[in-house]
Amino acid sequence: SNTRCPKFDIYSFNNNGFYTMNITVIALGKLKEKYLRDAVDEYSKRISAYGRLDIIELNPVRLSDNPSLNEIANALTKEADDIKKKIPNNSYVFALCIEGKEKSSEQFAKTIDSAIINGKSNLVFIIGSSFGMSDEIKNLADFKLSFSPMTFPHQLMRVILMEALYRSFT
């Protein structure tokens, strides 16, 4: 018999009788620093107890040293095309952007719960490149999420997101 997961009151279970969800993090750029990779690896292990985690690293478009606004816009459009190809069907999409809504840890967990209870089997979190992400991606997102009005390097943002995800499940 299936054991219901007390956190998520819906009917999606793996072969062992435990609730599963798919979490996808789409990030522009690779983690270069070992300490950041180690932190993401640790949180990945912890999160795997709650669902399948897939981190997709996409290459940001290379820009000139002093890019024009048009060059940046074209790069964000190209990156948006790459991002859209990686979003699974039946996803609840979070775009991480500074103009998004801030949430407490408890509110963030409730937002995730709500998405899952409403039938979304995939949670997708998108972290843009150094120049952000296109309005196209922000507009297709189900939720625009901001962790702070401050700007963080996108590599560090991945660690912050992983910690917030883990906290939301616990």
Side-chain angles (χ1 to χ4, degrees), residues 11 23 27 37-38 42 49 72 84 87 115 117 129 132 150 152 161:
Y11 299 95
I23 305 156
R37 288 192 311 270
D38 289 346
E42 179 60 31
I72 293 169
K84 288 187 300 186
I87 298 174
I117 289 168
S129 63
M150 296 169 37
F152 295 104
L161 170 63

Side-chain angles (χ1 to χ4, degrees), residues 47-48 81 132:
I47 291 169
S48 69
D81 292 340

Side-chain angles (χ1 to χ4, degrees), residues 1-19:
S1 72
N2 285 339
T3 303
R4 295 186 67 87
C5 179
K7 180 132 176 87
F8 302 107
D9 188 26
I10 67 173
Y11 299 95
S12 180
F13 297 90
N14 67 14
N15 291 336
N16 297 322
F18 292 101
Y19 175 78

Side-chain angles (χ1 to χ4, degrees), residues 63-110:
L63 298 172
S64 64
D65 288 340
N66 192 13
S68 67
L69 291 178
N70 192 41
E71 186 180 356
I72 293 169
N74 289 338
L76 293 178
T77 298
K78 167 67 171 97
E79 291 169 358
D81 292 340
D82 293 344
I83 290 168
K84 288 187 300 186
K85 292 174 189 170
K86 300 298 182 182
I87 298 174
N89 292 333
N90 195 31
S91 292
Y92 191 92
V93 178
F94 292 85
L96 277 61
C97 49
I98 198 164
E99 68 272 20
K101 185 173 181 180
E102 293 179 35
K103 291 201 169 266
S104 69
S105 294
E106 293 82 8
Q107 291 168 331
F108 182 51
K110 286 179 183 176

Side-chain angles (χ1 to χ4, degrees), residues 38-164:
D38 289 346
V40 168
D41 289 346
E42 179 60 31
Y43 282 115
S44 295
K45 281 188 266 182
R46 294 178 185 190
I47 291 169
S48 69
Y50 301 95
R52 189 180 68 110
L53 175 66
D54 189 19
I55 299 175
I56 300 170
E57 294 180 327
L58 300 175
N59 292 323
V61 174
R62 294 196 70 119
L63 298 172
S64 64
D65 288 340
N66 192 13
S68 67
L69 291 178
N70 192 41
E71 186 180 356
I72 293 169
N74 289 338
L76 293 178
T77 298
K78 167 67 171 97
E79 291 169 358
D81 292 340
D82 293 344
I83 290 168
K84 288 187 300 186
K85 292 174 189 170
K86 300 298 182 182
I87 298 174
N89 292 333
N90 195 31
S91 292
Y92 191 92
V93 178
F94 292 85
L96 277 61
C97 49
I98 198 164
E99 68 272 20
K101 185 173 181 180
E102 293 179 35
K103 291 201 169 266
S104 69
S105 294
E106 293 82 8
Q107 291 168 331
F108 182 51
K110 286 179 183 176
T111 301
I112 289 173
D113 286 351
S114 178
I116 294 167
I117 289 168
N118 287 312
K120 298 295 184 176
S121 58
N122 299 297
L123 299 176
V124 176
F125 298 86
I126 302 170
I127 302 172
S129 63
S130 297
F131 289 97
M133 69 181 71
S134 75
D135 286 340
E136 180 181 8
I137 296 298
K138 293 175 190 176
N139 292 333
L140 75 74
D142 296 288
F143 195 89
K144 294 180 197 96
L145 178 65
S146 174
F147 281 90
S148 169
M150 296 169 37
T151 301
F152 295 104
H154 58 277
Q155 292 186 19
L156 181 58
M157 194 64 240
R158 195 176 322 175
V159 175
I160 294 168
L161 170 63
M162 298 296 285
E163 197 283 334

